Amino acid sequence: MAPIISGEDGCFANAFNACADGLKNVSEDDITEPDMIASYRLVKEAINVDERRGQPLDGLYVAKSRAMSVEELRQFSDAVDSLATWFLREELEGRK
């Protein structure tokens, strides 16, 4: 496997950015399962940046990932995986 050029912080910053883009048109009301609502809230909390003050979002996300504990990063990763699986299942069931 090739090394991660941007490092773990950069990978999490990219994940925060992708989640922000992917969830920008999704509200909690769109999610019907309680476990997925908890995952949605966890992800939304992780990608929330209170004050940008002209700073690029990528830099704030790197700083945020550095400030999170290993356990918080693991929980974020698990929540993202759960939500992705749930959204895929919802999409596939909607096509039946």
Side-chain angles (χ1 to χ4, degrees), residues 7-66:
E8 186 175 78
D9 297 332
C11 289
F12 275 102
N14 289 339
F16 294 156
N17 200 33
C19 287
D21 285 344
L23 294 177
K24 66 183 169 192
N25 295 321
V26 177
S27 76
E28 193 172 302
D29 295 335
D30 296 324
I31 300 172
T32 56
E33 293 180 26
D35 289 346
M36 292 304 101
I37 292 172
S39 292
Y40 173 83
R41 288 177 180 166
L42 192 149
V43 171
K44 288 294 277 190
E45 182 178 323
I47 63 176
N48 182 35
V49 178
D50 292 330
E51 291 188 38
R52 289 180 65 175
R53 295 185 184 168
Q55 296 180 29
L57 198 51
D58 291 344
L60 291 173
Y61 281 153
V62 167
K64 188 160 198 163
S65 73
R66 288 180 181 158

